[in-house]
Amino acid sequence: MTSHLLALLLSLIAVIPPQRYGCTDIIGGRVVRPHSWPYMAAIQRKNLTECGGALVEKQWVLTAAHCQSNKSEVRVVLGAHQASIAEKEQQIFKVMHYFPNPQFDRSSKENDIMLLKLNGIAKLNKFVQLLPLPDSCEDIEPGTMCKVAGWGVTSSGKPSKYLRKTTLKIVGRKSCQSKYVNYTKITSNMLCAIGKNKFLKTDACQGDSGGPLICAGRYSGIVSFGKGCGRRDMPGVYTRLTEKYIDWIKKIISLHRDP
Ligand code: ARG
């Protein structure tokens, strides 16, 4: 009898997931169903994913300005699940041109948005698709549920092999600003988002930057920065897709579109 109880107890312990602390998965998220985020782009150097992005036109990826690297050998992988190995669904490009927002400010992190022109045209199929820009640029209300995905650092401290996603909710700028005093100003061009459950830490992390934040089904923001990752009460900060940015994106694409 007691041995039965003991066995039951042991098996219960085995199914309780260990608590995780510190910088983490896309922290607290889970692996996506392969190719269920067909607009996700992995921006890599030497097969390491440094940033995410979203395919917004067949030759254009939208990401964060702080993802610009002056080094060559950058590649953009579309259609990936495991981005650092070859998969048959993948389409791989080089960056023909970087268009960081001219008002990007590295220290204040304002205007952290950039377009990449690829050196070829993506073929749209089941695995590679466009993420449409929002047609309304209204602000996103606190409490709105959002999702984000990336190949960034997980709770193990290492980047994820597979694309992972998590769910977040928008927090108001005032309360967000109170967490970022002495750090930076949270402007109306930014959105803050945190795990929906106080006890389950979840967040974007290093390597997830540039990836899309999708709120109530609409492309709403871009992973930009955070103080640490997955810290208690510490929201992550996203560039908000405001009207000003959408106009800038449309202008750049139409000016630099191949004939
Ligand atoms: N700046 C990071 C990157 O380059 C992303 C940070 C997001 N951090 C966060 N805690 N939400 O990948």
Side-chain angles (χ1 to χ4, degrees), residues 8-39:
L8 183 69
L9 214 68
L10 282 174
S11 58
L12 268 178
I13 288 169
V15 298
I16 297 171
Q19 263 288 43
R20 294 204 155 116
Y21 295 99
C23 193
T24 68
D25 339 340
I26 231 175
I27 295 169
R30 55 193 169 110
V31 172
V32 307
R33 182 166 53 79
H35 310 292
S36 55
W37 287 60
Y39 38 78

Side-chain angles (χ1 to χ4, degrees), residues 6 8 24 68 74 128 130-131 144 174 195 252:
L6 195 68
L8 183 69
T24 68
Q68 179 165 24
V74 170
V128 175
L130 305 182
L131 181 60
T144 307
K174 262 202 187 135
I252 296 287

Side-chain angles (χ1 to χ4, degrees), residues 7 9 27 42 44 47 100 104 119 164-166 178 207 211 226 244:
L9 214 68
I27 295 169
Q44 301 188 322
N47 280 15
F104 171 52
N119 71 338
R164 306 180 71 96
K165 64 165 177 188
T166 193
S178 72
K244 176 178 91 166

Side-chain angles (χ1 to χ4, degrees), residues 24-146:
T24 68
D25 339 340
I26 231 175
I27 295 169
R30 55 193 169 110
V31 172
V32 307
R33 182 166 53 79
H35 310 292
S36 55
W37 287 60
Y39 38 78
M40 255 332 271
I43 301 169
Q44 301 188 322
R45 235 173 51 211
K46 300 190 174 147
N47 280 15
L48 287 177
T49 302
E50 296 195 329
C51 275
L55 189 70
V56 294
E57 289 251 357
K58 288 184 207 167
Q59 200 171 4
W60 295 86
V61 166
L62 188 61
T63 183
H66 82 263
C67 292
Q68 179 165 24
S69 96
N70 41 18
K71 314 214 174 68
S72 53
E73 84 231 9
V74 170
R75 60 175 210 166
V76 177
V77 185
L78 305 177
H81 183 48
Q82 194 174 345
S84 48
I85 64 161
E87 297 171 313
K88 62 179 191 315
E89 299 86 356
Q90 289 175 357
Q91 296 180 39
I92 300 178
F93 296 93
K94 292 224 151 52
V95 179
M96 194 151 106
H97 212 95
Y98 292 89
F99 295 91
N101 188 286
Q103 273 123 43
F104 171 52
D105 185 316
R106 216 166 257 287
S107 69
S108 72
K109 315 215 187 313
E110 237 325 44
N111 308 305
D112 191 6
I113 183 169
M114 172 166 73
L115 275 165
L116 303 180
K117 184 176 180 186
L118 306 180
N119 71 338
I121 305 220
K123 276 195 203 75
L124 302 187
N125 56 31
K126 237 175 86 182
F127 311 105
V128 175
Q129 275 165 42
L130 305 182
L131 181 60
L133 293 168
D135 42 25
S136 142
C137 299
E138 263 172 56
D139 202 7
I140 313 287
E141 294 295 317
T144 307
M145 300 309 284
C146 306

